[in-house]
Amino acid sequence: MKMLKILFIGFCLFPFAVQAQRIVNLYPGHIPDSKKTVLKNIPENPSEGLIRRVITPTLQMFLPEKDKTNGTAIVICPGGGYSVIVYGGEGINVAKEFTEKGVAAFVLQYRLPNDSFQVNKTIAPLQDAQQAIKMVRDSAAAWGINPDKVGIMGFSAGGHVASTEATHFNKALIENKSNASLRPDFQILVYPVISMQDSLAHKGSRTQLLGNNPSKETIDLYSNELQVDKNAPPAYITVAADDKVVDVDNSIIYFEKLRHNKVPVEMHIYQKGDHGFVFRHPGWMEPLFEWMQNNNWMNK
C-alpha cells in the first residue's frame, strides 16, 4: 500500500514525465490501405534501435515540462531508405532535444512500403504522415499545443515522407471528419530524399516506395521538387556537401523551387559530414533552434 501511494503521488507531481514517452496507435480503427495479416511490427514496441517492419503505425509523444512548453509541436519521421526506420538516433534522441526547448515532439513509426501488407504501398507513408498531423491538431488542447504551430521533420527517406506531406497536403488520403488542416506549418529536412527522378533519386528508396518499374507519372508525382507551390510550408534544410548516399542536389533543387515560389526557406550545408552527419556533429541542432526562434516557432 505504501508503494502504491508513492507511485500515485509521483504520477500527480510529474504528469508530463509519465506522459513523455506514451505510444499511441496512429489510427483508432481500421488502418487505411492495409491488408489483413497476422504479422506484427518488428520489434513489436518501438525501441532505440532499428524498426524493420511496421504493420501498425504509431506515434510516440515526448511532451516538455509544463513550465517550458511554448505550444509548438513537431512530427519526426526518421530515415532508413524506406527499408528500416532509424527510430532511436533520428527519432527518440532528436525528440528529447526538442522537449528541452519546450517543443512537443512526436516520433512517427510510419509504415514501410510493402506489397504484402498494403493495397497501394506508394501512399502508405504519406497517409501516416497526414494522420500524424491530424492527430496532433485534433489533440492540441489536451496536449498543450497550439494547432497553428505544428511542423513536420524528416531525415533521409523520412525527409521524403516529410516533404511529401509538405507538398501533397491538399488531397486527403485519410478519413478527416474533423476537417483538420493537413498542411504542416513548417518543414525541417535533414539530408532528405526529395526527388524520384533518375538523375537524383536514391535508388533504394525509390524502388522500395515505387517498385521496380514506376511510370513517369508516378515518378513525377513523388518528385517533391515538382510539387512545390506558393502554399508550401516554410522550410529549414540541412545537408553535408560530401553526402555520398543522397545527392545533395535533392536539397539544393528543393531550396530553389521553394525560393522561386517565395516560400521562406533557410539552408545549411556542412562542408563535410556525409550522410547521417547528425551522429558526428553534436551541435547540428543549434542553427535549427535559431531558425525556429527567429520565425517565432519557439516563442511562448
Side-chain angles (χ1 to χ4, degrees):
M1 180 63 71
K2 185 176 181 180
M3 179 60 71
L4 289 174
K5 186 176 181 181
I6 291 172
L7 289 173
F8 179 75
I9 291 172
F11 177 79
C12 292
L13 290 177
F14 305 106
F16 277 76
V18 172
Q19 294 180 36
Q21 297 186 29
R22 179 182 166 202
I23 299 173
V24 296
N25 286 343
L26 199 58
Y27 300 95
H30 174 71
I31 300 169
D33 193 57
S34 63
K35 298 178 181 179
K36 286 186 177 181
T37 179
V38 297
L39 297 176
K40 305 291 185 181
N41 295 358
I42 299 180
E44 288 194 32
N45 293 308
S47 67
E48 298 201 10
L50 294 179
I51 290 174
R52 302 183 182 280
R53 183 170 68 206
V54 181
I55 305 296
T56 304
T58 63
L59 204 60
Q60 184 169 6
M61 64 178 69
F62 293 79
L63 302 181
E65 294 178 9
K66 201 168 185 178
D67 62 340
K68 285 185 177 181
T69 187
N70 51 41
T72 297
I74 185 86
V75 172
I76 302 171
C77 308
Y82 280 126
S83 297
V84 298
I85 298 177
V86 187
Y87 196 86
E90 294 176 348
I92 292 173
N93 291 349
V94 176
K96 290 177 178 178
E97 293 290 333
F98 274 116
T99 59
E100 287 298 310
K101 299 294 184 179
V103 176
F106 299 83
V107 183
L108 177 61
Q109 184 181 208
Y110 55 90
R111 284 171 290 168
L112 297 168
N114 193 307
D115 290 319
S116 299
F117 317 132
Q118 294 133 26
V119 178
N120 177 3
K121 70 177 184 179
T122 64
I123 67 171
L126 174 56
Q127 285 178 315
D128 295 348
Q130 289 188 346
Q131 180 70 11
I133 293 292
K134 171 181 161 53
M135 177 178 282
V136 172
R137 283 216 167 97
D138 285 348
S139 303
W143 293 341
I145 292 165
N146 182 336
D148 297 322
K149 296 172 68 176
V150 179
I152 195 164
M153 178 182 201
F155 297 74
S156 194
H160 190 263
V161 177
S163 62
T164 305
E165 164 63 353
T167 53
H168 292 70
F169 54 82
N170 283 324
K171 181 180 180 181
L173 299 177
I174 57 169
E175 187 178 88
N176 188 13
K177 290 181 179 178
S178 66
N179 202 31
S181 171
L182 303 180
R183 176 187 180 273
D185 292 303
F186 58 93
Q187 55 181 315
I188 300 168
L189 305 174
V190 187
Y191 40 83
V193 175
I194 296 290
S195 183
M196 292 289 149
Q197 301 295 317
D198 289 341
S199 59
L200 287 175
H202 175 249
K203 299 302 190 291
S205 295
R206 187 173 91 166
T207 299
Q208 285 296 120
L209 182 66
L210 305 183
N212 290 319
N213 297 295
S215 66
K216 183 181 185 302
E217 181 182 48
T218 301
I219 290 171
D220 289 351
L221 180 64
Y222 287 96
S223 294
N224 294 328
E225 77 279 12
L226 303 181
Q227 308 305 321
V228 172
D229 63 25
K230 64 181 181 180
N231 295 317
Y236 177 94
I237 308 169
T238 184
V239 292
D242 64 346
D243 193 323
K244 294 183 282 295
V245 177
V246 176
D247 192 325
V248 71
D249 281 349
N250 276 261
S251 294
I252 292 172
I253 289 173
Y254 194 62
F255 172 90
E256 285 295 292
K257 292 289 186 178
L258 291 165
R259 186 174 70 87
H260 287 297
N261 276 277
K262 302 190 185 311
V263 176
V265 57
E266 184 167 322
M267 186 171 177
H268 288 251
I269 303 179
Y270 288 92
Q271 179 180 340
K272 294 183 178 180
D274 207 344
H275 202 67
F277 68 80
V278 300
F279 297 101
R280 296 176 288 278
H281 287 299
W284 73 273
M285 293 186 78
E286 293 309 314
L288 165 58
F289 292 145
E290 183 179 352
W291 174 80
M292 293 183 73
Q293 288 171 340
N294 290 342
N295 286 276
N296 296 318
W297 300 121
M298 283 174 49
N299 299 331
K300 293 185 178 182

